[in-house]
Amino acid sequence: MKRILYIAIAAITIGSGLFSCEPAEDRDSLPAVSLTPETIKFSVKQNAANENEVILKNEDPSVIAYWRYVDASGNELGHSNKSDDQVVFPFAGKYTVYYTAYARGGSVDAAPVVINVSKNDETYFRDPKWIMLTNGVAGKTWVLDFIDPVGWAGLDFPENPKGKDYWNWFPDYASNSWVMPSKDWGEMHFDLNGGYNTTVKQTAITTDAQTSKTGTYSFDITNNKLAFNGGVELLYGGDYHGDVTTWNSVKVVELTATSLRLAVIRDKSRTSEGVALIVFHYKPKP
């Protein structure tokens, strides 16, 4: 994070009809980092009333916090840059929390903190959306729904109808086959079999070659967000990958037992279109 500021100073001298300009350099270096892994002030504690809930706290307001947590196999489960946060580990097992403090002159990593959870928290999955998405331990596989496999929407869609960017267009495929070739684009699997397990099998754009990636996911029901971890990306169809920066952090636009719409942000359109959501529509694999 060290930055060097170059300032060009024009020295103006007036005399004998001469005008001269002499460049000078002034470097403003940031101070050395005084923190050490032993002096970082933070805490990682399990809730006394519920050991599955872990409370993360940055105790030094002069630094920016960054948290990362993994399971016993090293699978990344999520991350956060909040000074104070809470994370739930609903499955029994060993977890490791990594903390990095970003100061003005650089960053320092604290010693990892190991968390042991002795039992599953079955109440965590009471919301029916978990079953809609994953079918629990058994798992659920989704494929693109070619009734209307892709659409577009404003950034306020669907939760803010009064927003300035609230709109959507979900064209039917029969009349708009230009949106993508009709082929097997792959599949996307979620389950809760001892962890947040996901596998995405993606078909290439111009061939039928497929690649498969397995990792974990996090599902924020309150904020309608789904994140893929471990190098996994959202299943998509068509030539849209180059229009989007991030394919592992997506918005849940719709979720029922038979329909799933997930959106990514089109933020670098190759045809100079504005920022919008690209919304992919899935159905359960037959």
Side-chain angles (χ1 to χ4, degrees):
M1 296 177 65
K2 186 174 182 180
R3 298 176 302 168
I4 301 177
L5 177 62
Y6 294 93
I7 304 176
I9 302 176
I12 304 176
T13 304
I14 302 176
S16 302
L18 298 178
F19 178 89
S20 66
C21 181
E22 179 182 354
E25 185 180 73
D26 178 22
R27 300 191 177 191
D28 180 16
S29 298
L30 295 175
V33 180
S34 60
L35 288 175
T36 67
E38 293 75 26
T39 60
I40 296 176
K41 297 178 180 179
F42 75 104
S43 62
V44 177
K45 298 179 180 179
Q46 288 172 271
N47 188 334
N50 179 6
E51 65 171 336
N52 300 84
E53 182 180 280
V54 177
I55 302 169
L56 312 175
K57 185 174 181 61
N58 167 33
E59 299 174 349
D60 184 351
S62 69
V63 305
I64 297 174
Y66 180 76
W67 312 90
R68 184 172 67 90
Y69 24 96
V70 303
D71 63 17
S73 299
N75 297 312
E76 185 174 341
L77 301 178
H79 52 82
S80 169
N81 60 1
K82 295 181 180 179
S83 285
D84 299 290
D85 207 351
Q86 295 181 353
V87 59
V88 176
F89 299 129
F91 304 103
K94 184 175 73 173
Y95 302 87
T96 304
V97 177
Y98 296 90
Y99 175 71
T100 301
Y102 286 92
R104 186 164 179 256
S107 63
V108 178
D109 295 323
V113 177
V114 176
I115 298 293
N116 289 295
V117 177
S118 63
K119 59 183 180 180
N120 293 346
D121 181 6
E122 302 295 342
T123 62
Y124 183 73
F125 300 108
R126 285 182 299 188
D127 192 302
K129 289 185 178 180
W130 282 106
I131 295 300
M132 292 177 186
L133 177 69
T134 71
N135 194 30
V137 173
K140 192 170 186 177
T141 301
W142 298 86
V143 295
L144 283 169
D145 187 341
F146 263 87
I147 297 297
D148 50 354
V150 66
W152 292 263
L155 299 183
D156 285 323
F157 185 81
E159 66 280 338
N160 185 19
K162 296 182 179 180
K164 294 181 179 180
D165 197 23
Y166 183 88
W167 58 271
N168 72 86
W169 182 49
F170 298 149
D172 66 289
Y173 188 77
S175 303
N176 298 275
S177 59
W178 57 268
V179 297
M180 68 177 68
S182 178
K183 69 176 187 178
D184 174 13
W185 285 98
E187 60 188 41
M188 184 168 54
H189 178 86
F190 301 96
D191 71 51
L192 295 171
N193 187 11
Y196 303 99
N197 309 303
T198 184
T199 299
V200 175
K201 183 187 297 182
Q202 178 69 57
T203 305
I205 296 173
T206 58
T207 71
D208 292 331
Q210 291 186 321
T211 57
S212 184
K213 293 184 178 180
T214 298
T216 62
Y217 66 94
S218 58
F219 183 24
D220 183 347
I221 292 177
T222 302
N223 296 301
N224 297 314
K225 293 181 180 180
L226 184 70
F228 296 90
N229 306 306
V232 180
E233 292 185 338
L234 176 71
L235 172 68
Y236 66 92
D239 186 14
Y240 298 103
H241 201 272
D243 296 320
V244 176
T245 298
T246 303
W247 285 89
N248 59 2
S249 180
V250 304
K251 183 177 186 178
V252 181
V253 173
E254 177 185 274
L255 174 59
T256 70
T258 58
S259 179
L260 174 64
R261 294 186 193 269
L262 299 178
V264 288
I265 297 176
R266 183 186 66 195
D267 57 354
K268 54 177 187 178
S269 171
R270 291 164 294 170
T271 54
S272 300
E273 295 174 287
V275 175
L277 298 177
I278 303 178
V279 186
F280 293 95
H281 189 201
Y282 311 90
K283 64 179 180 180
K285 183 177 180 180

